[in-house]
Amino acid sequence: MKVHETRSHAHMSGDEQKGNLRKHKAEGKLPEAEQSPKKAKSEKDSVNGTGDEYKEFCKAVEENLSVDQIKEVLETNGQDCSAPEETLLAQCQDLLFYGALDKCPLCGGNLICDNEKKRFVCGGEISEWCSCVFSTKSPPRKEEPIKLPDSVMNSAISDLLKKHQDPKTRPKRELSSDKPFTGMMISLMGRLTRTHQYWKNKIEKHGGKVSNSVKGVTCLVVSPAERERGGSSKLVEAMEQGLPVVSEAWLIDSIEKQEAQPLEAYDVVSDLSVEGKGIPWDKQDPSEEAIESLSAELKMFGKRGVYKDTKLEESGGKIFEKDGLLYNCAFSLCDLGKGRNEYCIMQLVTVPESNLNMYFKRGKVGDDPNAEERLEEWEDEEEAIKEFARLFEEITGNEFEPWEREKKIQKKPHKFFPIDMDDGIDVRSGALGLRQLGVASAHCKLESFVANFLKVLCGQEIYKYALMELGLDPPDLPMGMLTDIHLKRCEEVLLEFVEKLKTTKETGQKAEAIWADFSSRWFSLMHSTRPMRLHDFNELADHAASAFETVRDINTASHLVGDMRGDTLDDPLSDRYNKLGCKISVVDKESEDYKMIVKYLETTYEPVKVSDVAYTATVVNVFAVESKAIPSLDEIKKLPNKVLLWCGSRSSNLLRHIYKGFLPAVCSLPVPGYMFGRAIVCSDAAAEAARYGFTAVDRPEGFLVLAVASLGEDVKEFTSPPEDTKTLEEKKVGVKGLGRKKTEESEHFMWRDDIKVPCGKLVPSEHKDSPLEYNEYAVYDPKQTSIRFLVEVKYEEKGTEIVDVEPE
């Protein structure tokens, strides 16, 4: 075996790294990348008890009890003894003075004092996916005398310890918290969104002080515009002194989270390098993280993709395959209880005229410079296979072959879980890049408008942006090339959790634990650059249900688009068009259909609000669609009660809709879009559909879908989420959700003889308390819907309104 390439930390195990970190912390130091804003030591002894009495008591215990005696005290009182010696001492001092800690009320684990968070936390697990999230400043303690072993009873401080045995006489311990800017000196410069006096009051209220100069300050807070303007002498002086220069968002976020955020994540003067700022993504402002993840190159496109960092693909490297097994595995671990979000890559790669190569990489998402990474050359093939299997078991706690052949696996606590990659190419890698788009459309034999439309659907950009916006675009794992088995597993986890929510009555931290456990499961399966602890149905809809549907549709696009990275002179757009099995034609702008659609949009549209900016929409082109997977107009006309309705969709989902038709929502949730269960949901308001079709201010083009839906003879109307959606799904009845606004019925008209077009001015309805802003229509059978038109729209900024939200 020969090691070709390593990093200085490559041979350091996870436990060694943790031990190293503990050593740094014990010495009062942190590696540079983890330095927190400087704080003066708080006068409050918030971690080591309160008052001089406790300090003297701790000193006596430290000087008179041995490590063995300390462990004996903890064991006798039912406490955990697996921590490092310095931690055991603090645990023992706390126990002897305040009483033995009781078990965690959430999971029954042992409570420990977290010096950094200044809280007591649990060291147990909610499940095999998530560490316990219990946290408190006033922990439960056993209402019983402290048990003192004989060796301690015979010590020099036995009388002192006996004074604290009785639970009735011992004091109660509560940890206090520092304010976020405690001990900091902050300087302000330039025109901020709030006055300097406002921020001075806020900073002082939260423990800090404000200085007019930059001498000796913690940081300088400026407007990002100062960089473009060249800044003042104050900015230059700060940069010369190497002081952090940060945006106003640092103040806002630190106050909101009641903890000083990492200064480097809000830096406004350091230039972005090719490798980014070198700051872990979870420490960055979300918008900065999104820029880095979007610009990062996808390093592995699928099950047969050789990881780019190995550089072996350049030498003809291919994934090793033997007896039907591909030796390429990717893993994810998201434990929100411990704040872990990690990935791991393992590959055996064959290279012409060379030995077998084993590549291993493990690290924290978004912190590539500190990943453990090694590339090794193996002369003995069987030994390499054995080592691969051994590593798989070490990483997952499971055997490799049962997983690879039958997908059998059991999640183990603190272990990784495989991301089941499919045999294909992620569309973010296989689709056309920006430089190829023009050439591909120029050589396309399709009508020019249709070629340009296909160019959008077969380009990388819409898929990259969609996954970036969802935080599902880590460069190391191909989230656009997952197996159906993996997607089904995700769907089952989501549905199981939705059902659990219907029956659970838990509140407070017990409810938080349920959400944290699901969130850890979800973001282990749906590997994310920024996992979050979901808290409510709206977040569940946005970050789980909708995200799943988008990933599912992008995976369909990946298989259809395939590999377009080669020569674009062979007309790949026409080839993909033929694979779609459909006919797409541009609608003449002088035709009645075009005029009807423009009128329908303009009449039922209201400006879409994104942050503080409102956007209008104008029609650019309209495409008529006929697809083999979708009921034709003649077929849908045979059904009763037909309505032409708007459907919103990300551009990244369109290819799947055209190729296979609409799919019902993945689950039932009491929020718009999901409140009628597993249904296909449309609206009579273009304003509602536009919320889902909108892309971004720098990508103003989007698509709205117009489909004919047959609601059937029996239409149920609702003004609130129905309690039983399963009955609606089973009976496949038509549903109309009545919104707070409706279209003026007197203006409605018929299209193609008997298809109703609910085109009318949006007016207030009598349903003022409805959770829906606009009317929604739901059908449960895909055969009841027929996509007729794709409406290309351009969003334009209408006006800006600055909303001044005061941080709490």
Side-chain angles (χ1 to χ4, degrees):
M1 183 184 77
K2 188 188 297 181
V3 178
H4 284 291
E5 182 181 341
T6 62
R7 297 188 180 182
S8 58
H9 49 271
H11 299 290
M12 188 184 295
S13 71
D15 290 337
E16 287 173 329
Q17 290 180 28
K18 289 177 187 173
N20 217 27
L21 184 58
R22 280 196 294 266
K23 181 181 177 184
H24 281 303
K25 290 177 180 175
E27 295 170 351
K29 293 183 279 186
L30 282 174
E32 284 185 18
E34 298 181 33
Q35 285 285 1
S36 299
K38 294 178 182 178
K39 282 190 176 187
K41 190 172 181 180
S42 173
E43 293 178 4
K44 297 179 183 178
D45 196 1
S46 56
V47 176
N48 296 320
T50 55
D52 294 335
E53 182 186 0
Y54 183 65
K55 293 179 181 177
E56 291 299 322
F57 181 88
C58 289
K59 184 178 180 182
V61 171
E62 183 176 8
E63 291 176 351
N64 289 278
L65 295 187
S66 66
V67 173
D68 289 339
Q69 287 175 311
I70 287 170
K71 289 182 178 179
E72 194 176 0
V73 169
L74 292 171
E75 288 173 354
T76 303
N77 289 276
Q79 305 296 302
D80 181 35
C81 299
S82 60
E85 288 183 10
E86 63 270 21
T87 303
L88 292 179
L89 172 61
Q91 282 181 243
C92 184
Q93 290 165 336
D94 174 84
L95 183 154
L96 292 171
F97 195 83
Y98 295 105
L101 293 169
D102 212 341
K103 296 293 184 180
C104 170
L106 293 186
C107 73
N110 291 305
L111 299 180
I112 55 175
C113 183
D114 188 314
N115 291 293
E116 289 187 356
K117 295 180 181 177
K118 300 174 184 176
R119 302 179 74 88
F120 285 89
V121 298
C122 177
E125 289 90 33
I126 300 171
S127 72
E128 65 272 26
W129 297 89
C130 185
S131 299
C132 189
V133 295
F134 181 76
S135 173
T136 182
K137 292 183 179 182
S138 181
R141 296 187 185 267
K142 295 179 180 179
E143 291 298 322
E144 59 185 41
I146 299 167
K147 298 172 185 176
L148 299 175
D150 291 341
S151 64
V152 175
M153 289 292 284
N154 295 326
S155 69
I157 57 170
S158 60
D159 290 339
L160 176 63
L161 301 181
K162 289 176 186 177
K163 287 167 58 178
H164 293 274
Q165 273 189 289
D166 189 348
K168 296 178 182 179
T169 59
R170 60 189 178 220
K172 185 178 180 181
R173 182 182 188 185
E174 287 192 18
L175 301 182
S176 59
S177 295
D178 284 339
K179 295 177 180 179
F181 303 134
T182 296
M184 293 190 191
M185 183 70 75
I186 299 167
S187 186
L188 307 171
M189 191 193 88
R191 185 176 180 179
L192 304 175
T193 62
R194 305 302 295 262
T195 66
H196 284 211
Q197 185 60 46
Y198 168 86
W199 279 122
K200 183 176 186 292
N201 294 339
K202 280 288 183 181
I203 291 167
E204 290 176 349
K205 179 182 176 182
H206 290 86
K209 294 182 180 180
V210 174
S211 172
N212 290 326
S213 73
V214 296
K215 187 176 181 180
V217 300
T218 306
C219 65
L220 173 64
V221 177
V222 303
S223 163
E226 292 297 327
R227 171 176 172 158
E228 279 66 43
R229 290 164 50 187
S232 66
S233 58
K234 194 174 183 180
L235 176 62
V236 173
E237 184 182 353
M239 294 175 66
E240 288 176 348
Q241 293 183 24
L243 293 172
V245 180
V246 299
S247 68
E248 194 175 5
W250 177 75
L251 294 172
I252 296 171
D253 291 351
S254 296
I255 291 173
E256 180 184 336
K257 298 175 183 178
Q258 280 299 293
E259 182 180 3
Q261 299 303 293
L263 292 164
E264 61 269 30
Y266 297 81
D267 171 78
V268 294
V269 293
S270 295
D271 288 316
L272 284 172
S273 65
V274 176
E275 297 294 330
K277 291 185 178 181
I279 305 166
W281 288 353
D282 65 327
K283 304 279 186 202
Q284 290 192 35
D285 179 272
S287 61
E288 295 288 345
E289 175 270 309
I291 291 171
E292 286 206 21
S293 68
L294 184 65
S295 60
E297 184 180 20
L298 184 64
K299 297 182 178 181
M300 185 163 57
F301 59 72
K303 190 66 174 176
R304 294 183 184 272
V306 176
Y307 194 78
K308 287 191 178 294
D309 286 1
T310 66
K311 297 181 174 58
L312 295 177
E313 192 174 29
E314 301 167 7
S315 306
K318 294 183 178 180
I319 296 298
F320 176 68
E321 185 174 6
K322 185 174 183 180
D323 299 331
L325 299 180
L326 281 167
Y327 285 79
N328 181 16
C329 292
F331 311 92
S332 172
L333 190 162
C334 178
D335 182 349
L336 294 172
K338 292 290 187 187
R340 296 179 67 185
N341 187 34
E342 301 171 18
Y343 69 94
C344 182
I345 307 292
M346 283 170 44
Q347 297 186 329
L348 286 180
V349 184
T350 61
V351 179
E353 301 179 5
S354 177
N355 294 320
L356 193 60
N357 292 268
M358 179 180 290
Y359 179 73
F360 179 89
K361 185 177 183 181
R362 173 179 175 174
K364 186 177 179 181
V365 176
D367 192 14
D368 202 58
N370 292 309
E372 174 188 354
E373 184 179 27
R374 58 180 180 267
L375 177 64
E376 302 165 342
E377 189 175 315
W378 290 71
E379 296 179 358
D380 191 316
E381 183 180 287
E382 288 303 316
E383 287 301 312
I385 291 172
K386 286 180 182 178
E387 175 63 9
F388 188 94
R390 185 195 70 77
L391 279 172
F392 184 95
E393 188 165 354
E394 178 184 301
I395 289 292
T396 67
N398 291 260
E399 294 181 3
F400 169 66
E401 197 159 324
W403 156 254
E404 197 60 36
R405 292 195 185 281
E406 304 171 52
K407 304 307 175 186
K408 289 183 178 179
I409 195 153
Q410 176 64 48
K411 177 69 171 71
K412 300 295 176 68
H414 312 299
K415 296 288 186 178
F416 284 82
F417 195 83
I419 298 295
D420 196 13
M421 300 177 288
D422 208 355
D423 191 356
I425 298 179
D426 189 311
V427 70
R428 293 173 294 160
S429 179
L432 294 171
L434 287 173
R435 294 180 180 179
Q436 298 173 293
L437 292 173
V439 177
S441 59
H443 290 84
C444 183
K445 298 180 179 66
L446 298 170
E447 199 272 330
S448 61
F449 284 108
V450 177
N452 283 325
F453 173 63
L454 261 292
K455 184 176 72 172
V456 174
L457 299 190
C458 293
Q460 297 176 4
E461 293 307 295
I462 58 172
Y463 306 103
K464 283 185 174 183
Y465 274 105
L467 291 176
M468 176 273 288
E469 289 160 358
L470 294 168
L472 297 174
D473 62 333
D476 303 283
L477 276 68
M479 297 306 292
M481 184 47 63
L482 305 175
T483 65
D484 290 341
I485 292 174
H486 190 86
L487 291 171
K488 186 65 177 175
R489 193 190 300 268
C490 294
E491 183 178 357
E492 288 171 351
V493 166
L494 175 59
L495 293 176
E496 178 187 317
F497 181 63
V498 170
E499 287 301 311
K500 186 174 186 177
L501 288 178
K502 291 179 181 178
T503 57
T504 186
K505 296 180 181 178
E506 301 292 359
T507 58
Q509 290 210 28
K510 289 187 177 180
E512 287 183 26
I514 293 173
W515 283 93
D517 181 43
F518 167 75
S519 302
S520 294
R521 290 172 190 249
W522 185 254
F523 290 116
S524 288
L525 295 169
M526 281 286 177
H527 189 61
S528 174
T529 57
R530 46 181 187 275
M532 59 184 291
R533 193 185 301 181
L534 305 178
H535 297 93
D536 56 41
F537 287 114
N538 284 304
E539 291 183 350
L540 189 63
D542 290 342
H543 301 286
S546 177
F548 169 78
E549 291 164 353
T550 298
V551 169
R552 176 199 64 197
D553 292 355
I554 288 177
N555 272 263
T556 300
S558 292
H559 285 288
L560 182 69
V561 170
D563 190 358
M564 299 178 77
R565 297 173 299 177
D567 193 350
T568 54
L569 299 179
D570 295 331
D571 195 4
L573 291 178
S574 293
D575 177 72
R576 273 38 175 208
Y577 178 76
N578 294 330
K579 285 183 179 180
L580 268 175
C582 70
K583 179 183 177 183
I584 300 173
S585 57
V586 66
V587 177
D588 187 344
K589 294 186 178 182
E590 297 301 319
S591 68
E592 291 302 314
D593 281 352
Y594 186 90
K595 292 175 182 177
M596 179 271 293
I597 291 168
V598 171
K599 177 183 176 182
Y600 194 5
L601 182 136
E602 290 178 347
T603 307
T604 64
Y605 183 84
E606 291 181 324
V608 175
K609 195 84 175 290
V610 180
S611 297
D612 301 322
V613 183
Y615 292 89
T616 59
T618 54
V619 176
V620 178
N621 283 302
V622 177
F623 298 93
V625 179
E626 291 288 347
S627 172
K628 294 177 182 178
I630 300 168
S632 67
L633 184 61
D634 290 338
E635 290 171 325
I636 206 78
K637 287 194 71 169
K638 296 175 184 178
L639 302 178
N641 199 0
K642 299 172 290 294
V643 189
L644 184 66
L645 297 169
W646 296 102
C647 306
S649 174
R650 288 178 179 271
S651 299
S652 58
N653 299 45
L654 281 179
L655 204 58
R656 194 233 175 271
H657 296 333
I658 301 170
Y659 185 42
K660 294 191 175 181
F662 283 137
L663 276 179
V666 67
C667 64
S668 175
L669 297 169
V671 297
Y674 295 93
M675 63 187 282
F676 302 119
R678 306 191 74 167
I680 297 165
V681 181
C682 306
S683 177
D684 54 19
E688 175 67 15
R691 293 174 173 174
Y692 303 93
F694 180 70
T695 50
V697 64
D698 56 337
R699 292 170 288 113
E701 298 80 14
F703 292 90
L704 302 180
V705 180
L706 269 177
V708 176
S710 169
L711 302 177
E713 300 289 357
D714 181 23
V715 179
K716 303 287 185 184
E717 293 187 345
F718 293 92
T719 57
S720 60
E723 293 183 6
D724 180 18
T725 59
K726 286 189 177 179
T727 301
L728 298 173
E729 294 169 16
E730 291 167 0
K731 293 183 177 180
K732 297 191 184 319
V733 299
V735 169
K736 182 177 181 180
L738 302 174
R740 299 187 298 277
K741 296 177 183 177
K742 64 180 181 180
T743 57
E744 180 59 62
E745 292 185 24
S746 63
E747 300 176 21
H748 294 182
F749 56 87
M750 304 303 286
W751 176 67
R752 300 290 174 95
D753 300 326
D754 61 347
I755 299 172
K756 183 178 181 180
V757 181
C759 173
K761 181 182 178 183
L762 290 169
V763 295
S765 74
E766 57 271 31
H767 310 292
K768 296 180 180 179
D769 297 326
S770 171
L772 302 174
E773 186 169 5
Y774 307 99
N775 293 337
E776 287 189 358
Y777 300 76
V779 295
Y780 296 90
D781 186 351
K783 294 178 182 178
Q784 290 176 253
T785 61
S786 174
I787 296 174
R788 305 315 311 154
F789 300 103
L790 300 176
V791 183
E792 182 183 0
V793 294
K794 184 175 183 180
Y795 297 93
E796 296 177 310
E797 184 176 329
K798 181 181 180 182
T800 304
E801 178 186 354
I802 305 236
V803 178
D804 196 2
V805 179
E806 180 174 327
E808 295 295 331

